[in-house]
Amino acid sequence: MAAQAQVKFDPPKTKAKPVVDTLHGVQLTDYYRWLEDKKDPDVIEWTKKQHDYGVEYLNKTQKTHPDLKAGISAYLNMDYEGPLNNVGKRVFQTVKKKGDKQYKTYTIIDGKKILIWDPVTLDPDGKISTSGISYTYDGERAAISAQKSGAEVNTVYFIDTRTGKQIHEPLTGTSGFQWCKDQQHAYVTLRTQEDVDKQRPLKTYYIKVGDPIEKATFVGTTADAKNSFFIYDNRYSDVTFSGEGDFYSNSLKMRPTGSLKDGKLIYNSKKFQAYPEAIGDKLYIKTNDNAPNSRLMVADKLHPDYKNWKVLIPESSTVMEDFVVTKGNNIIVQDKKDIQSRLTIYDIKGKKLRPVPLPEEGSIGSMSYDREEDKLYISLVTFTSTPKTYVCSPKDYKWKLFYQRQLPVDMSDITGEIKFYTSKDGSRVPVFVVHRKDIKMDGKNPVLLTAYGGFQSGIKPGYYGFYAPFIKAGGIVVQPGIRGGDEFGEKWHLDGMLAKKQNSFDDFYACAEWLIKEKYTTESKIVALGGSNGGLLMGAAATQRPDLFKAIVCEVPLLDMLRYHKFLIARYWIPEYGSSEDPEQFRWLLRYSPYQNIRMGVNVPPTLVTAGANDTRVDPMNAKKFVAALQNNPGQTSPIILHMDFDSGHGSGQSTQQSIDNWTFIFEYVMNQLGM
């Protein structure tokens, strides 16, 4: 802090060029609209100067933590061998050895590992990463999607999975790819940069794999780019489902597999969603239709209309997360109670039988079922041990350890807890608190408080080895499950979106206040960190409660909520936030939009705002305009720094070294702000 006091924060100047709009009778002046044009030479120059100055300023004012980079590298740059992935009668594994720039894919034949895919062969700099792999049902071929520098326009490469040899010309300009049941055709969704820039609805085609895209048959699109078209075959029944949906609701059609006819409409909702799984002559549907915690329904393939769906396992007080139907005619349901997941066995008629005995204590991270082999796989997770994969037969539930990832991170002196606190309106909010076992509750501990709270994405117990360098240095990592996520089902999500978005923010502030009250820490010892939707949360924290935080790290954020939906693929998110084009939605967006709620003369805490130059999700204009407005705000004395990643997108597509460098930079900032 002494170093900062000696170096005056004097960033490059930003011109104010006022643009006046009138929206629904309200006159608004936008002084930094000009920063929205990322191709403008003046914007490019301004961005580079801001970034360079921020790096220079931090180099002059921060002390370095010599062991920090090594600690982050121990987690991110190590020998990694992922769990074995069974496809048909084939086995695959994702591997990244220490020093590798990207993840590679291997197959295992007769006990021998054979490299079949390495994206670095496409780009020696490691800027091309694997964004998805779709295997044929027998596992003999794979379609591998790859992206460069985080752009969400993919190229699909086709390989023989025994040799890795490319067997067809790549397909460029794609967004999604999945094999059809016949293993000869595929559904491919196309996307170009122009589609992204102009927010055009994406089109999906049916193609014979190996043919040029010109020979493909169009199968579906949407009327509005905020919705997406979907289509999928069923492995264990000759039906195909398709439809249109946004994040939270969908229509659903059914057709015979292989048919290119439109199909029969069997479900349509503007509030709920349903994506069935067909097995034989039955449809099994986990849905939140009139059931915020979800329920399992069943229908006959010959009578698939919604009116004929019957409740198989009703909604309960816990949240249904997943289910499998076994060959032995049992149903295994994964649900969660107070955000810890567990398994329960039901019979095929929906009668509850008993809990599934677990091999050891922990929360179920995920569940999958291999119907051909009649094997159930689960991942078991805790805060301080790496996830373990167990396998058993549903005939006897005798678990065997299938895989555990071993990491060179010592967590023996670290503990994690699930606690609950009360929010502003009385809501009970879960929170993870992870710290060294010898921590003292003296109100002086440095805290990293991070949250997301949106798009039904909630917190789940998981391994915190990534944070080990910070925790071992005396820090506490705190992650509340604020509203907007799915911690307590769809109602928890609904209570943190659209007109109720302020609840997410209030839950976050209540967590900071609870930490202070419980003597974990104090206001001068809390750094808040969040990205994307969590970056919006950080912008709200900076403008609404600057008193609660020592500093803020605001990553790839949404901040101008009156104009966010006009850029890149952000129309997809209108169902979550709303749009300023609607008078009612404009009013609630205006109340909290961070860019429009910077208070004249009010100093916000030191803030590091990061953005990706190639981000195709959240346009970096949000970060640029917010930084410019804060830096030019009279009374703003704390440093507001813009840090651009010029080689990646929305946090994806980074090489290992890029990730290490970026996270070292962020944790150096956090630890310096906390006086560590």
Side-chain angles (χ1 to χ4, degrees):
M1 297 305 104
Q4 288 194 9
Q6 293 167 14
V7 179
K8 184 176 184 291
F9 184 70
D10 188 20
K13 299 293 182 275
T14 307
K15 292 179 183 176
K17 301 178 182 180
V19 175
V20 179
D21 294 317
T22 301
L23 280 177
H24 310 296
V26 178
Q27 185 172 299
L28 301 160
T29 303
D30 188 344
Y31 290 96
Y32 306 103
R33 178 82 53 88
W34 67 278
L35 288 172
E36 292 178 356
D37 185 358
K38 68 185 86 172
K39 295 178 181 176
D40 184 332
D42 289 344
V43 176
I44 294 170
E45 181 185 14
W46 177 89
T47 303
K48 184 78 166 60
K49 284 182 176 178
Q50 283 282 342
H51 171 85
D52 290 348
Y53 179 79
V55 171
E56 178 189 353
Y57 176 80
L58 293 176
N59 285 340
K60 288 179 179 177
T61 58
Q62 291 189 157
K63 73 174 186 178
T64 57
H65 298 78
D67 297 332
L68 178 60
K69 192 166 193 173
I72 291 172
S73 296
Y75 184 88
L76 292 177
N77 185 25
M78 63 197 160
D79 289 349
Y80 165 69
E81 296 192 0
L84 303 180
N85 179 19
N86 293 49
V87 182
K89 297 194 180 301
R90 302 291 309 287
V91 179
F92 303 97
Q93 189 176 35
T94 299
V95 174
K96 182 152 77 71
K97 296 292 186 183
K98 189 172 183 177
D100 285 349
K101 295 176 181 177
Q102 294 288 349
Y103 290 93
K104 303 176 182 180
T105 303
Y106 287 77
T107 189
I108 301 172
I109 301 176
D110 297 329
K112 183 181 178 183
K113 283 188 182 177
I114 300 168
L115 176 65
I116 57 172
W117 172 254
D118 180 3
V120 177
T121 60
L122 302 173
D123 178 12
D125 291 334
K127 292 179 182 176
I128 290 181
S129 62
T130 304
S131 51
I133 302 180
S134 177
Y135 294 102
T136 51
Y137 285 174
D138 61 11
E140 295 296 330
R141 285 165 294 150
I144 302 180
S145 297
Q147 60 177 8
K148 184 165 186 177
S149 297
E152 292 183 41
V153 177
N154 295 317
T155 296
V156 179
Y157 297 86
F158 302 95
I159 65 168
D160 179 309
T161 59
R162 291 181 179 270
T163 63
K165 181 181 177 182
Q166 288 198 37
I167 52 177
H168 301 296
E169 286 296 309
L171 271 182
T172 58
T174 67
S175 169
F177 182 99
Q178 59 177 315
W179 291 93
C180 294
K181 187 175 181 177
D182 68 5
Q183 305 187 98
Q184 302 301 316
H185 293 81
Y187 302 116
V188 58
T189 301
L190 302 185
R191 173 187 273 164
T192 65
Q193 191 56 51
E194 191 176 6
D195 290 331
V196 173
D197 294 339
K198 294 186 177 180
Q199 294 194 330
R200 293 194 295 223
L202 302 183
K203 296 177 179 178
T204 299
Y205 294 82
Y206 175 80
I207 188 171
K208 188 176 192 303
V209 175
D211 281 355
I213 197 66
E214 291 76 20
K215 288 190 174 183
T217 303
F218 172 76
V219 290
T221 187
T222 64
D224 191 315
K226 73 180 177 64
N227 294 346
S228 57
F229 176 82
F230 65 88
I231 184 168
Y232 58 96
D233 293 352
N234 282 259
R235 185 166 189 156
Y236 302 111
S237 188
D238 290 323
V239 296
T240 294
F241 297 114
S242 65
E244 178 176 349
D246 56 26
F247 271 99
Y248 314 118
S249 63
N250 68 286
S251 62
L252 184 68
K253 293 179 179 180
M254 190 175 107
R255 68 181 83 173
T257 295
S259 169
L260 291 180
K261 293 181 179 178
D262 192 33
K264 172 184 172 63
L265 183 69
I266 63 172
Y267 179 77
N268 189 28
S269 175
K270 297 294 184 186
K271 293 171 64 179
F272 309 116
Q273 58 186 195
Y275 296 94
E277 176 185 350
I279 301 174
D281 61 358
K282 296 292 184 186
L283 311 185
Y284 296 92
I285 315 110
K286 184 178 84 70
T287 178
N288 64 354
D289 194 304
N290 289 295
N293 288 347
S294 293
R295 58 183 174 175
L296 185 62
M297 304 186 77
V298 66
D300 191 291
K301 191 168 73 172
L302 297 176
H303 306 284
D305 302 75
Y306 176 70
K307 65 182 180 181
N308 298 318
W309 295 6
K310 293 181 172 60
V311 176
L312 186 58
I313 300 176
E315 181 189 24
S316 73
S317 59
T318 64
V319 180
M320 185 183 294
E321 296 181 287
D322 200 1
F323 75 97
V324 298
V325 180
T326 71
K327 285 172 76 173
N329 283 333
N330 278 335
I331 300 168
I332 303 170
V333 170
Q334 177 183 335
D335 74 338
K336 60 182 173 183
K337 182 178 182 181
D338 282 346
I339 66 175
Q340 293 207 71
S341 300
R342 59 200 185 162
L343 302 181
T344 306
I345 308 168
Y346 294 78
D347 70 17
I348 201 65
K349 294 182 178 179
K351 180 184 176 184
K352 187 174 183 177
L353 299 178
R354 62 189 182 279
V356 175
L358 297 182
E360 60 177 290
E361 192 173 332
S363 180
I364 304 293
S366 63
M367 168 183 66
S368 63
Y369 176 64
D370 185 328
R371 194 170 183 83
E372 281 92 347
E373 299 290 330
D374 193 26
K375 289 181 179 177
L376 181 69
Y377 295 84
I378 61 167
S379 68
L380 210 60
V381 296
T382 71
F383 293 114
T384 56
S385 65
T386 53
K388 297 177 181 178
T389 302
Y390 285 91
V391 61
C392 76
S393 167
K395 293 173 183 174
D396 56 18
Y397 295 101
K398 291 182 178 177
W399 296 103
K400 291 181 182 177
L401 181 64
F402 184 72
Y403 177 82
Q404 181 177 17
R405 180 182 176 190
Q406 300 294 342
L407 301 184
V409 180
D410 180 13
M411 300 287 282
S412 60
D413 59 345
I414 294 173
T415 186
E417 303 169 280
I418 301 174
K419 298 200 167 222
F420 293 85
Y421 65 90
T422 303
S423 191
K424 179 179 179 180
D425 64 356
S427 295
R428 178 173 172 263
V429 184
V431 59
F432 298 154
V433 184
V434 187
H435 52 77
R436 263 189 355 220
K437 291 176 180 176
D438 63 354
I439 209 84
K440 293 178 181 176
M441 298 303 179
D442 57 6
K444 299 177 183 177
N445 296 299
V447 166
L448 178 62
L449 178 59
T450 181
Y452 186 77
F455 297 96
Q456 297 170 319
S457 179
I459 60 172
K460 292 191 72 166
Y463 179 61
Y464 271 66
F466 172 73
Y467 296 99
F470 175 77
I471 297 169
K472 286 176 178 290
I476 303 176
V477 177
V478 180
Q479 188 175 14
I482 63 178
R483 277 173 284 186
D486 67 347
E487 286 81 355
F488 298 106
E490 180 59 9
K491 186 175 188 309
W492 197 250
H493 169 233
L494 292 171
D495 281 348
M497 63 183 277
L498 297 175
K500 297 181 178 180
K501 189 63 186 170
Q502 185 63 42
N503 285 337
S504 297
F505 310 148
D506 289 342
D507 289 352
F508 189 69
Y509 312 149
C511 185
E513 291 165 342
W514 172 78
L515 289 166
I516 296 163
K517 178 185 169 190
E518 295 296 315
K519 303 291 185 188
Y520 284 101
T521 190
T522 187
E523 293 94 332
S524 62
K525 289 284 188 175
I526 303 175
V527 168
L529 179 149
S532 194
N533 174 73
L536 167 60
L537 173 65
M538 296 304 108
T543 52
Q544 293 183 5
R545 290 300 303 272
D547 57 305
L548 267 182
F549 308 100
K550 173 62 184 71
I552 292 171
V553 180
C554 181
E555 300 179 299
V556 290
L558 287 155
L559 294 165
D560 184 347
M561 297 306 292
L562 299 188
R563 290 178 60 77
Y564 81 95
H565 63 292
K566 296 177 180 289
F567 298 86
L568 304 177
I569 64 171
R571 282 196 68 78
Y572 281 136
W573 311 326
I574 289 174
E576 177 82 10
Y577 301 120
S579 163
S580 59
E581 292 164 25
D582 178 281
E584 180 189 3
Q585 296 173 3
F586 163 75
R587 286 193 288 275
W588 76 56
L589 288 165
L590 181 61
R591 276 198 292 272
Y592 76 74
S593 178
Y595 179 63
Q596 281 80 17
N597 280 278
I598 295 169
R599 287 178 283 173
M600 190 71 69
V602 176
N603 180 60
V604 308
T607 301
L608 174 66
V609 184
T610 73
N614 300 317
D615 198 329
T616 56
R617 292 192 172 211
V618 175
D619 196 289
M621 71 89 184
N622 287 274
K624 295 172 188 177
K625 290 171 68 176
F626 191 64
V627 166
L630 283 174
Q631 287 181 351
N632 279 358
N633 185 19
Q636 181 61 44
T637 55
S638 297
I640 308 297
I641 295 171
L642 177 68
H643 190 76
M644 291 293 297
D645 187 336
F646 293 100
D647 289 316
S648 73
H650 198 62
S652 66
Q654 297 179 358
S655 69
T656 302
Q657 194 56 51
Q658 277 181 296
S659 292
I660 292 168
D661 291 343
N662 286 344
W663 280 112
T664 302
F665 176 81
I666 286 169
F667 274 102
E668 283 285 16
Y669 180 83
V670 169
M671 292 172 77
N672 270 275
Q673 291 296 328
L674 290 170
M676 299 171 73

